Each structure stands twice: as structure tokens, then as C-alpha cells.
Amino acid sequence: MFIVMIATECAPAAKVGGLGDVVSGLARELAIRGHAVEVILPKYDCLRYDRIHGLTKCYSDLWVPYYDQWIHCDVYFGFVDGARCFFIDSHSHHNFFNRGRFYCDHDGERFTFFCRAALEFMLKANKHPEVIHCHDWQTGLAPVLLYEIYQRLGMTHPRVCYTLHNVAHQGRQGEQILRQGGLNPGALMKPDRLLDDRYPGCANLMKGGVVYSNFVTTVSPTYGQEIRNTHLGMGLQRILNVHHQKFGGVINGIDYNVWNPEMDPHIARRYSLGTLRDKYANKQALRERLWLRDGFKPLVAFVGRLDYQKGVNLIFDAVPYCLDHGCQFVLLGSSPHGHVNEAFWRLKLRFNDHPDCHLEIGYHEELAHLIYAGADLLLVPSEYEPCGLAQLIGLKYGTVPVVRNTGGLADTVFDADYAHKPYHERNGYVFNDYNWTGLESALRRAIGLWYCYPNYFSELMANGMRYDWSWNHSGRDYVNIYNYIKAH
Ligand code: ADP
């Protein structure tokens, strides 16, 4: 099968969070299964060019409609982690992809242009994929453009799969964005099309993706239920229920070529289930690297975006709690919100001289690997979590996750004390209520087990490592979905 993904991230060249991992991981899995996969991305100025191999200009005469003008683009080709990627480079004073960041202001305009450019490129380059797979609101307009414009121009073949990675961001825009894309707002600004259900007069690009795609997935079964039936749908509940027959949850995998303690080049000592003791060398290496003292203490870590969704208030309170309860704490993260970053900077200054605490405010791919390998416990106290990759990585590295019972966390982490499963299938700690009492109840149990029952703790680590959260199962699910939409 020939599959084209249109996306705004692909790790490691373009990664802000899990979306980047998912696009490259799924692309690799599909290729392993014998499918031809290509990824179309913007050619951002902030790409990690050192992680793109063989980048060359492959198409230089692409003209993309923009209102009543045409914008000239070049297209580059290169390999990202083995995936065949095309990068759209636009030449206009708008500087769509040269903003020094992957996401910023006026993203609606930039990514509407990107969707149009991606389809125009496929048309002009004579690409006839059987499936186009789009991701999140930024590419929600691609299926709309396909069925409203490009089908009539000859692209009758492709079917579209659309994945919702996080419905907190739906791409609500003024209706002029449709005009920019060459679409007719008069026809599309209707409740069963792109008209937002909550904000009168707004076009909702994610809703457009849901309505026009042949199949819609989200990144875990529990999150799928939550966004259909609870406030977590953030206004999409109605349209997801209308289209429930073409909607399902497929849990994300992680790429075990990238996230695997047996072959990770970024960690101090490689280890596996059989050599779990070697994990300790990574704890020591992490302590040395971050100037933490040696000692008989569990190391608690958080790695992730410091977004409200991730439970920043709870993480904030967890730092002094862990230090007061005989733990070390390491945090790696940065926030899209300036004042959250500032608050964590203040916390960092407060504990600057503390021998058991290190807060690293920023983004650091390689350090993240060493933290996953060196830590004993991994905090993921999210208010909501569509899938969450951090806990899957933690499990693979024998780092016991402490998570809230929501979304993909609920589907992948099973409480050591309360899960309805035998002990050998339990792999972490889970709490229900999104407040400090909730998190404290789980953290206290986890720290207690580490100190008082080390054998049970080691068992829990091993249980987590035995789970297979690679793309193996989810890749098969996506192929089944692609085959289904091809046949209908
Ligand atoms: P989300 O997609 O909401 O950001 P996920 O848990 O699905 O959350 O994926 C997060 C991914 O991004 C993981 O691979 C995590 O290691 C990585 N990550 C997040 N923040 C950082 C950071 N500051 N430095 C390095 N890696 C990070």
C-alpha cells in the first residue's frame, strides 16, 4: 500500500512532543510491514538538520494558491530516522515556516497554507497514495481540500485516515481561513461541516478533519470514550457522536529502535530484563551529570511539556514532597506559557544548592534518555492524557510510572495494589482524583514499596518491562483501518 502522512512533526528532526514520535514510529512500522510510506512536512528553519540524511531539493516549480495569488515553493527530500520525508519550503514575505519555532502565533494561516501546498505537491508530482493519514488540527483541512477541490482535479483515489492526538487544540479560526485555502465559507460554515459548535462564526479545522475523513482515530480507547462522552471533548462531543461509526481509539506505540535500554546510545550502560542490575549504573551516571549526591534513595523524575494538561501544579508540589520523604527529584521540561516557566525557574533557584534535586528547564532529547534509564519512579500526573508516551518509555526502561487514571494512562498502567489483575501484570501506581491528595496517595505507596519491599519493587519494574508497547500491535491496527477504508 502507498501511504502519505501529512504532519507538522516527525522525530527527531521536528519534535515538540509525542506527535513527532508517533509520526516517525508509525511510518517506520508501516515500512517494516512492506508498505511504501512518505511523510510531508513543513521545511521549518528550526528543523534539526543534523538528523535529516541526504537532504536535497527535489521539486522546484510548485506554485500554491493563496487567496488570489500564487506562492512559489520548493520541495526537499530527505530521510528522517529512515522515513522518506518531503519538506515544503515556501518563498514569500509571510515566512510561513521561518519563525524559529515549530508552533507560534497565526498558526491557522501557516498550516492552512501547508495543507494546500501538500495536496498541490501530490497533484503536481503525480503521487497517487491509497491512503493519506493526517494528524491533529494543523492538517484537518487536508481531507476537506481533498474532497472539495482536489478530487475534481483528478485525485479520486486516496482515502483519508485522520488522527486526533489532543482535542484541546482544535484550530478555531475566522472563516477567512477557508477563503485563504480556496474553499467556500458559504458552503462549509454549517453545523454538520466546519462551523464550530461552541464559538459562533468560527471555523473549526479539527471538526473539518473529522467530518471529511473516511476514518478518525484517537490515540487510546479510554481517551476516545472521554472525548465522545465528557467535557474532555471540548466541544467536539456532538460531531464525534454523529460520526461514531468511523471513529475508534488505537493506542500509540513507541519505537523500540529509539526507546530501548538494550541498544540506547544515549545511556551510560545498556541493560535488559535479564541484566536489570545494570540500570543502577545509569542512576549513578545521571547523578554525576546533574551533580546529585550518591546515596540509598529512590530517584523520582518528570520529563515532559510543562503544560497545564500535564498537572503542573501537582508536579510543583511533588518536588518538595519527594525531597522531604527521602527521594531525589529530577525534572526535564519546558512550558509554552512564560509564567509557568518562570515559576519553575523560581523553584529551581530555591533548590539550586540541594544535593538531591535538579530541575532542567528546557528541551534536551539525549538527557531525556538518561533520565528514563536512571530514574526509579516516573511521574505522569496529567489532568487528561490522550495517550502519553512518557509512561510507555518509563515501562520499557524499568522505571515505575506513577500516573493519574485518565486517557492512555488508564489503558497502560495498572496499579500495584488495586488493579483487577494478577501481580505479575501490575506495573505502576495509579490515582483517581486530580488533586494533591490523589497524587500523594500514590507517591506515598510507591516510595514506601521502594524502601520497604525492594523485591516487590523490582518485580514491578520487571512486570513493566515485559509489556510490549511497540508499534507491533498498533501498526497492525492501522493497516486494518487503511484496508477497511480502501474497501468502503
Ligand atoms: P505530549 O505529546 O503531550 O507532549 P507524550 O508523553 O505523548 O506527551 O510525549 C512526550 C514526548 O516528548 C516524549 O518522547 C518525551 O520524552 C518528549 N519530551 C517532552 N518534553 C521534553 C523535554 N523537555 N526534553 C526532551 N524530551 C521531551
Side-chain angles (χ1 to χ4, degrees), residues 15-19 21 259 303-305 309-310 332-334 362-365 368 372 385 388-390 393:
K15 171 170 164 178
V16 174
L19 173 62
D21 287 322
W259 299 110
V303 179
R305 293 180 302 114
Q309 166 207 341
K310 300 287 176 186
L332 170 62
S334 66
Y363 186 92
H364 203 307
E365 186 76 25
Y372 287 118
E385 192 59 75
L389 300 183
I393 301 170

Side-chain angles (χ1 to χ4, degrees), residues 91 263 272 303 314 322 325 327 351:
H91 305 295
M263 48 193 269
S272 64
V303 179
L314 301 183
C322 288
H325 288 77
C327 303
F351 292 116

Side-chain angles (χ1 to χ4, degrees), residues 184-204:
N184 175 7
L188 297 180
M189 291 298 280
K190 303 204 166 127
D192 61 342
R193 299 281 156 137
L194 274 75
L195 185 64
D196 193 82
D197 284 0
R198 282 198 177 166
Y199 295 86
C202 272
N204 183 322

